[in-house]
Short mmCIF file of all heavy atoms in Angstrom, two decimals:
data_model
loop_
_atom_site.label_atom_id
_atom_site.label_comp_id
_atom_site.label_asym_id
_atom_site.label_seq_id
_atom_site.Cartn_x
_atom_site.Cartn_y
_atom_site.Cartn_z
N TYR A 49 27.52 114.47 32.59
CA TYR A 49 26.50 113.49 32.32
C TYR A 49 25.53 114.05 31.25
O TYR A 49 25.13 115.21 31.21
CB TYR A 49 25.69 113.33 33.75
CG TYR A 49 26.42 112.54 34.60
CD1 TYR A 49 27.44 113.24 35.51
CD2 TYR A 49 26.38 111.17 34.91
CE1 TYR A 49 28.23 112.67 36.48
CE2 TYR A 49 27.20 110.51 35.73
CZ TYR A 49 28.13 111.28 36.55
OH TYR A 49 28.82 110.54 37.45
N PHE A 51 21.75 113.21 29.26
CA PHE A 51 20.32 112.64 29.60
C PHE A 51 19.49 112.83 28.32
O PHE A 51 19.54 113.66 27.53
CB PHE A 51 19.74 113.32 30.64
CG PHE A 51 20.55 113.54 32.01
CD1 PHE A 51 21.51 114.53 31.95
CD2 PHE A 51 20.40 112.67 32.99
CE1 PHE A 51 22.25 114.62 33.13
CE2 PHE A 51 21.20 112.77 34.14
CZ PHE A 51 22.25 113.68 34.17
N TYR A 53 15.09 113.09 28.07
CA TYR A 53 13.91 113.02 28.74
C TYR A 53 12.77 113.17 27.74
O TYR A 53 12.93 113.70 26.66
CB TYR A 53 13.70 114.27 29.69
CG TYR A 53 14.46 114.25 30.93
CD1 TYR A 53 15.76 114.66 31.03
CD2 TYR A 53 13.88 113.80 32.16
CE1 TYR A 53 16.53 114.66 32.18
CE2 TYR A 53 14.62 113.77 33.41
CZ TYR A 53 15.90 114.22 33.36
OH TYR A 53 16.64 114.28 34.53
N GLN A 55 8.80 114.17 27.07
CA GLN A 55 7.67 115.01 27.68
C GLN A 55 6.48 114.82 26.87
O GLN A 55 6.32 115.42 25.78
CB GLN A 55 8.00 116.48 27.82
CG GLN A 55 6.97 117.28 28.48
CD GLN A 55 7.39 118.69 28.73
OE1 GLN A 55 7.95 119.33 27.93
NE2 GLN A 55 7.20 119.26 29.89
N PRO A 57 2.26 114.97 25.85
CA PRO A 57 1.41 116.02 25.98
C PRO A 57 0.75 116.29 27.43
O PRO A 57 0.53 117.43 27.68
CB PRO A 57 0.13 115.56 25.09
CG PRO A 57 0.93 114.54 24.11
CD PRO A 57 1.91 114.04 24.81
N SER A 58 0.79 115.32 28.29
CA SER A 58 0.30 115.53 29.59
C SER A 58 1.36 116.49 30.38
O SER A 58 0.96 117.07 31.50
CB SER A 58 0.15 114.29 30.40
OG SER A 58 1.30 113.50 30.16
N GLY A 59 2.57 116.54 29.95
CA GLY A 59 3.47 117.59 30.46
C GLY A 59 4.60 117.06 31.42
O GLY A 59 5.47 117.81 31.64
N GLU A 60 4.39 115.88 32.07
CA GLU A 60 5.46 115.45 32.88
C GLU A 60 6.79 115.19 32.17
O GLU A 60 6.77 114.90 31.03
CB GLU A 60 5.15 114.28 33.77
CG GLU A 60 5.03 112.98 33.01
CD GLU A 60 3.63 112.73 32.43
OE1 GLU A 60 2.87 113.75 32.08
OE2 GLU A 60 3.32 111.51 32.17
N LEU A 61 7.88 115.32 32.90
CA LEU A 61 9.14 114.96 32.33
C LEU A 61 9.50 113.44 32.80
O LEU A 61 9.57 113.09 33.92
CB LEU A 61 10.27 115.87 32.78
CG LEU A 61 10.29 117.23 32.31
CD1 LEU A 61 11.30 118.11 32.94
CD2 LEU A 61 10.79 117.09 30.79
N PHE A 63 12.11 110.50 32.61
CA PHE A 63 13.49 110.20 32.47
C PHE A 63 13.72 109.06 31.62
O PHE A 63 12.99 108.00 31.81
CB PHE A 63 14.15 109.99 33.83
CG PHE A 63 15.47 109.42 33.84
CD1 PHE A 63 16.61 110.16 33.62
CD2 PHE A 63 15.69 108.07 34.10
CE1 PHE A 63 17.88 109.60 33.66
CE2 PHE A 63 16.88 107.44 34.17
CZ PHE A 63 17.98 108.31 33.84
N ARG A 66 20.59 108.07 31.37
CA ARG A 66 21.62 108.87 31.84
C ARG A 66 22.90 108.27 31.34
O ARG A 66 23.13 107.00 31.57
CB ARG A 66 21.70 109.15 33.46
CG ARG A 66 22.88 109.95 33.87
CD ARG A 66 22.84 109.97 35.40
NE ARG A 66 23.26 108.66 35.93
CZ ARG A 66 23.50 108.37 37.20
NH1 ARG A 66 23.57 109.42 38.01
NH2 ARG A 66 23.79 107.25 37.76
N PHE A 107 13.74 115.73 25.12
CA PHE A 107 14.79 116.85 25.41
C PHE A 107 16.06 115.97 25.71
O PHE A 107 16.06 114.96 26.52
CB PHE A 107 14.36 117.48 26.80
CG PHE A 107 13.34 118.54 26.57
CD1 PHE A 107 11.96 118.20 26.90
CD2 PHE A 107 13.54 119.81 26.02
CE1 PHE A 107 10.94 119.21 26.69
CE2 PHE A 107 12.62 120.68 25.79
CZ PHE A 107 11.23 120.38 26.13
N SER A 111 24.62 117.73 32.48
CA SER A 111 25.02 118.30 33.65
C SER A 111 26.49 117.97 33.93
O SER A 111 27.03 117.09 33.35
CB SER A 111 24.12 117.85 34.87
OG SER A 111 24.50 116.52 35.24
N ASP A 112 27.08 118.95 34.74
CA ASP A 112 28.42 118.53 35.27
C ASP A 112 28.37 118.20 36.76
O ASP A 112 27.31 118.66 37.39
CB ASP A 112 29.39 119.73 35.00
CG ASP A 112 29.22 120.87 35.99
OD1 ASP A 112 29.69 120.64 37.22
OD2 ASP A 112 28.53 121.85 35.72
N PRO A 113 29.21 117.41 37.24
CA PRO A 113 28.89 116.78 38.59
C PRO A 113 29.48 117.64 39.67
O PRO A 113 29.58 117.24 40.80
CB PRO A 113 29.59 115.47 38.48
CG PRO A 113 30.76 115.75 37.55
CD PRO A 113 30.20 116.67 36.49
N SER A 114 29.85 118.89 39.37
CA SER A 114 30.41 119.73 40.46
C SER A 114 29.34 120.31 41.40
O SER A 114 28.44 121.06 40.97
CB SER A 114 31.17 120.91 39.80
OG SER A 114 30.33 121.66 39.11
N GLY A 115 29.44 119.84 42.52
CA GLY A 115 28.37 120.38 43.57
C GLY A 115 27.06 120.09 43.14
O GLY A 115 26.62 118.99 42.77
N TYR A 116 26.19 121.05 43.25
CA TYR A 116 24.76 120.90 43.24
C TYR A 116 24.29 121.33 41.63
O TYR A 116 23.46 122.15 41.54
CB TYR A 116 23.98 121.63 44.20
CG TYR A 116 24.48 121.16 45.59
CD1 TYR A 116 25.42 121.97 46.14
CD2 TYR A 116 24.19 119.93 46.11
CE1 TYR A 116 26.04 121.55 47.37
CE2 TYR A 116 24.69 119.55 47.30
CZ TYR A 116 25.63 120.41 47.94
OH TYR A 116 26.24 119.98 49.09
N SER A 117 25.13 120.82 40.81
CA SER A 117 24.98 121.18 39.42
C SER A 117 23.49 121.07 38.82
O SER A 117 22.84 119.98 39.21
CB SER A 117 25.83 120.55 38.46
OG SER A 117 25.80 120.98 37.15
N THR A 118 23.05 121.94 38.01
CA THR A 118 21.71 121.87 37.40
C THR A 118 21.79 121.22 35.98
O THR A 118 22.90 121.13 35.55
CB THR A 118 21.05 123.21 37.35
OG1 THR A 118 21.88 124.06 36.57
CG2 THR A 118 21.07 123.87 38.75
N LEU A 119 20.71 120.93 35.57
CA LEU A 119 20.61 120.42 34.21
C LEU A 119 20.47 121.50 33.12
O LEU A 119 19.79 122.53 33.26
CB LEU A 119 19.38 119.53 34.00
CG LEU A 119 19.42 118.21 34.87
CD1 LEU A 119 18.15 117.45 34.82
CD2 LEU A 119 20.58 117.32 34.41
N THR A 120 21.20 121.45 32.05
CA THR A 120 21.06 122.28 30.88
C THR A 120 20.40 121.50 29.78
O THR A 120 20.87 120.50 29.34
CB THR A 120 22.46 122.80 30.41
OG1 THR A 120 23.05 123.52 31.40
CG2 THR A 120 22.20 123.74 29.13
N PHE A 121 19.24 122.03 29.37
CA PHE A 121 18.33 121.33 28.38
C PHE A 121 18.52 121.80 27.04
O PHE A 121 18.90 123.06 26.85
CB PHE A 121 16.87 121.46 28.67
CG PHE A 121 16.47 120.56 30.00
CD1 PHE A 121 16.61 121.05 31.23
CD2 PHE A 121 15.89 119.40 29.81
CE1 PHE A 121 16.20 120.38 32.33
CE2 PHE A 121 15.51 118.55 30.86
CZ PHE A 121 15.69 119.10 32.19
N GLY A 122 18.41 121.03 25.99
CA GLY A 122 18.30 121.49 24.72
C GLY A 122 16.87 122.01 24.40
O GLY A 122 15.98 121.91 25.37
N LYS A 123 16.66 122.59 23.27
CA LYS A 123 15.28 123.10 22.96
C LYS A 123 14.25 122.16 22.68
O LYS A 123 13.04 122.37 22.70
CB LYS A 123 15.43 124.09 21.66
CG LYS A 123 16.39 125.32 21.99
CD LYS A 123 15.74 126.15 23.07
CE LYS A 123 16.65 127.39 23.26
NZ LYS A 123 16.27 128.12 24.40
N GLY A 124 14.68 120.90 22.52
CA GLY A 124 13.71 119.79 22.40
C GLY A 124 13.30 119.48 20.95
O GLY A 124 13.41 120.39 20.09
N THR B 53 17.92 118.18 48.71
CA THR B 53 18.31 119.09 47.73
C THR B 53 16.99 119.19 46.79
O THR B 53 16.42 118.37 46.29
CB THR B 53 19.46 118.77 46.90
OG1 THR B 53 20.55 118.50 47.70
CG2 THR B 53 19.78 119.88 45.91
N TYR B 55 15.33 121.56 43.42
CA TYR B 55 15.56 122.44 42.26
C TYR B 55 14.23 122.93 41.64
O TYR B 55 13.30 122.12 41.74
CB TYR B 55 16.33 121.68 41.19
CG TYR B 55 17.59 120.99 41.56
CD1 TYR B 55 17.63 119.80 42.32
CD2 TYR B 55 18.84 121.51 41.16
CE1 TYR B 55 18.76 119.10 42.47
CE2 TYR B 55 20.00 120.78 41.56
CZ TYR B 55 19.94 119.58 42.19
OH TYR B 55 21.06 118.97 42.47
N TYR B 57 12.50 124.62 38.25
CA TYR B 57 12.74 124.94 36.79
C TYR B 57 11.48 125.53 36.34
O TYR B 57 10.31 125.24 36.66
CB TYR B 57 12.93 123.74 36.01
CG TYR B 57 14.36 122.97 36.28
CD1 TYR B 57 14.41 122.17 37.35
CD2 TYR B 57 15.44 123.23 35.38
CE1 TYR B 57 15.74 121.51 37.53
CE2 TYR B 57 16.62 122.60 35.56
CZ TYR B 57 16.80 121.71 36.66
OH TYR B 57 17.93 121.15 36.83
N GLN B 59 9.36 126.17 32.66
CA GLN B 59 9.23 125.81 31.30
C GLN B 59 8.13 126.64 30.64
O GLN B 59 6.85 126.32 30.83
CB GLN B 59 8.95 124.43 31.11
CG GLN B 59 9.07 123.95 29.62
CD GLN B 59 8.77 122.44 29.44
OE1 GLN B 59 8.09 121.75 30.24
NE2 GLN B 59 9.26 121.97 28.33
N GLN B 63 8.98 125.94 25.15
CA GLN B 63 10.32 126.15 25.59
C GLN B 63 10.91 124.90 26.26
O GLN B 63 10.17 124.01 26.59
CB GLN B 63 10.50 127.26 26.41
CG GLN B 63 9.95 128.68 25.80
CD GLN B 63 10.75 129.01 24.60
OE1 GLN B 63 11.94 129.02 24.49
NE2 GLN B 63 10.11 129.38 23.55
N ASP B 64 12.25 124.92 26.46
CA ASP B 64 12.86 123.95 27.36
C ASP B 64 12.77 124.45 28.81
O ASP B 64 12.80 125.54 29.05
CB ASP B 64 14.32 123.73 26.86
CG ASP B 64 15.06 124.99 26.85
OD1 ASP B 64 14.70 125.89 25.99
OD2 ASP B 64 16.05 124.99 27.63
N PRO B 65 12.96 123.46 29.77
CA PRO B 65 13.02 123.95 31.05
C PRO B 65 14.20 124.68 31.46
O PRO B 65 15.36 124.46 30.98
CB PRO B 65 13.09 122.59 31.87
CG PRO B 65 12.48 121.63 30.96
CD PRO B 65 12.95 121.97 29.50
N GLN B 66 14.01 125.79 32.17
CA GLN B 66 15.05 126.64 32.60
C GLN B 66 15.29 126.68 34.08
O GLN B 66 14.36 126.85 34.79
CB GLN B 66 14.79 128.12 32.09
CG GLN B 66 14.86 128.36 30.55
CD GLN B 66 16.12 128.31 29.98
OE1 GLN B 66 17.16 128.79 30.54
NE2 GLN B 66 16.19 127.54 28.82
N PHE B 67 16.42 126.43 34.55
CA PHE B 67 16.71 126.49 35.89
C PHE B 67 16.44 127.81 36.52
O PHE B 67 16.91 128.88 36.09
CB PHE B 67 18.13 126.00 36.22
CG PHE B 67 18.63 126.15 37.55
CD1 PHE B 67 18.11 125.39 38.66
CD2 PHE B 67 19.75 127.01 37.92
CE1 PHE B 67 18.54 125.56 39.87
CE2 PHE B 67 20.05 127.18 39.18
CZ PHE B 67 19.54 126.36 40.22
N SER B 70 18.11 126.60 43.40
CA SER B 70 18.14 125.31 44.14
C SER B 70 18.49 125.55 45.59
O SER B 70 19.08 126.55 45.87
CB SER B 70 19.08 124.51 43.45
OG SER B 70 20.41 124.86 43.42
N TYR B 72 20.01 123.39 49.18
CA TYR B 72 20.52 122.16 49.82
C TYR B 72 20.63 122.43 51.33
O TYR B 72 21.07 123.50 51.66
CB TYR B 72 22.03 121.79 49.28
CG TYR B 72 22.76 120.94 50.13
CD1 TYR B 72 22.29 119.53 50.26
CD2 TYR B 72 23.83 121.30 50.88
CE1 TYR B 72 22.99 118.65 51.05
CE2 TYR B 72 24.48 120.41 51.62
CZ TYR B 72 24.13 119.06 51.79
OH TYR B 72 24.74 118.14 52.58
N SER B 77 21.70 126.89 47.11
CA SER B 77 22.92 126.25 46.61
C SER B 77 23.30 126.85 45.26
O SER B 77 24.44 126.78 44.73
CB SER B 77 22.78 124.72 46.50
OG SER B 77 21.66 124.28 45.87
N ASP B 78 22.41 127.29 44.45
CA ASP B 78 22.69 127.73 43.03
C ASP B 78 21.47 128.60 42.64
O ASP B 78 20.24 128.52 43.13
CB ASP B 78 22.89 126.59 42.09
CG ASP B 78 23.69 127.10 40.85
OD1 ASP B 78 23.98 128.28 40.74
OD2 ASP B 78 23.99 126.23 40.00
N LEU B 110 5.03 126.17 32.92
CA LEU B 110 4.91 124.84 33.67
C LEU B 110 6.14 124.99 34.70
O LEU B 110 7.33 125.19 34.17
CB LEU B 110 5.05 123.64 32.83
CG LEU B 110 4.77 122.21 33.39
CD1 LEU B 110 3.53 122.15 34.04
CD2 LEU B 110 4.87 121.31 32.15
N PHE B 112 8.48 123.06 37.37
CA PHE B 112 8.93 121.82 37.76
C PHE B 112 9.75 121.96 38.97
O PHE B 112 10.60 122.78 39.10
CB PHE B 112 9.73 121.07 36.73
CG PHE B 112 8.90 120.54 35.53
CD1 PHE B 112 9.05 121.09 34.33
CD2 PHE B 112 8.15 119.41 35.64
CE1 PHE B 112 8.31 120.68 33.29
CE2 PHE B 112 7.51 118.91 34.63
CZ PHE B 112 7.52 119.53 33.48
N GLY B 118 21.74 115.18 48.22
CA GLY B 118 22.93 115.85 48.29
C GLY B 118 23.46 116.07 46.83
O GLY B 118 22.86 116.55 46.07
N GLU B 119 24.80 115.84 46.76
CA GLU B 119 25.49 116.17 45.37
C GLU B 119 25.09 115.21 44.41
O GLU B 119 25.57 115.23 43.29
CB GLU B 119 27.00 116.26 45.69
CG GLU B 119 27.30 117.48 46.55
CD GLU B 119 28.87 117.67 46.50
OE1 GLU B 119 29.62 116.88 46.02
OE2 GLU B 119 29.28 118.68 47.18
N GLY B 121 22.59 115.16 42.91
CA GLY B 121 22.00 115.87 41.83
C GLY B 121 22.90 116.34 40.73
O GLY B 121 22.42 116.44 39.60
N GLY B 122 24.12 116.51 41.13
CA GLY B 122 25.14 116.92 40.12
C GLY B 122 25.47 115.81 39.15
O GLY B 122 25.93 116.08 38.11
N ARG B 123 25.16 114.57 39.61
CA ARG B 123 25.39 113.45 38.74
C ARG B 123 24.07 113.11 37.95
O ARG B 123 23.95 112.05 37.34
CB ARG B 123 25.79 112.25 39.59
CG ARG B 123 27.10 112.39 40.34
CD ARG B 123 27.66 111.09 40.78
NE ARG B 123 26.83 110.52 41.91
CZ ARG B 123 26.90 110.96 43.10
NH1 ARG B 123 27.77 111.87 43.55
NH2 ARG B 123 26.08 110.45 44.07
N GLY B 124 23.20 114.10 38.03
CA GLY B 124 21.94 113.86 37.31
C GLY B 124 20.77 113.12 37.93
O GLY B 124 19.88 112.90 37.29
N GLU B 125 21.05 112.66 39.16
CA GLU B 125 20.11 111.97 39.85
C GLU B 125 19.03 112.86 40.44
O GLU B 125 18.81 113.01 41.62
CB GLU B 125 20.75 111.10 40.91
CG GLU B 125 21.57 110.00 40.32
CD GLU B 125 22.36 109.31 41.25
OE1 GLU B 125 22.05 109.34 42.54
OE2 GLU B 125 23.26 108.54 40.93
N GLN B 126 18.46 113.64 39.50
CA GLN B 126 17.34 114.60 39.95
C GLN B 126 16.05 114.01 39.59
O GLN B 126 15.89 113.58 38.46
CB GLN B 126 17.51 115.95 39.35
CG GLN B 126 18.71 116.67 39.71
CD GLN B 126 18.92 118.09 39.03
OE1 GLN B 126 17.84 118.71 38.65
NE2 GLN B 126 20.02 118.48 38.86
N PHE B 128 12.16 114.47 38.89
CA PHE B 128 11.19 115.58 38.70
C PHE B 128 9.79 115.20 39.21
O PHE B 128 9.29 114.08 39.18
CB PHE B 128 11.19 115.91 37.24
CG PHE B 128 12.26 116.64 36.73
CD1 PHE B 128 13.49 115.91 36.39
CD2 PHE B 128 12.28 118.05 36.69
CE1 PHE B 128 14.54 116.66 35.87
CE2 PHE B 128 13.29 118.72 36.11
CZ PHE B 128 14.48 118.10 35.76
N PRO B 130 5.54 116.27 38.91
CA PRO B 130 4.76 116.38 37.74
C PRO B 130 4.40 117.79 37.24
O PRO B 130 3.99 117.97 36.16
CB PRO B 130 3.34 115.77 38.23
CG PRO B 130 3.40 116.17 39.73
CD PRO B 130 4.82 116.05 40.10
N ARG B 133 1.10 123.90 36.60
CA ARG B 133 0.92 124.73 35.46
C ARG B 133 0.24 125.98 35.92
O ARG B 133 -0.92 126.05 36.46
CB ARG B 133 -0.10 124.02 34.47
CG ARG B 133 -0.19 124.72 33.11
CD ARG B 133 -0.97 123.97 32.05
NE ARG B 133 -0.23 122.72 31.72
CZ ARG B 133 0.79 122.69 30.81
NH1 ARG B 133 1.26 123.71 30.18
NH2 ARG B 133 1.24 121.49 30.52
#
Side-chain angles (χ1 to χ4, degrees):
Chain A
Y49 290 83
F51 310 82
Y53 286 86
Q55 187 172 44
S58 52
E60 72 270 26
L61 281 170
F63 168 82
R66 178 184 68 169
F107 290 99
S111 82
D112 76 78
S114 58
Y116 308 97
S117 180
T118 62
L119 295 173
T120 299
F121 287 86
K123 295 298 182 188
Chain B
T53 306
Y55 306 79
Y57 292 83
Q59 185 181 21
Q63 302 296 315
D64 55 299
Q66 293 287 319
F67 169 68
S70 62
Y72 166 67
S77 53
D78 201 359
L110 192 53
F112 287 104
E119 294 190 351
R123 298 191 294 275
E125 294 172 11
Q126 295 181 27
F128 282 86
R133 190 171 295 280

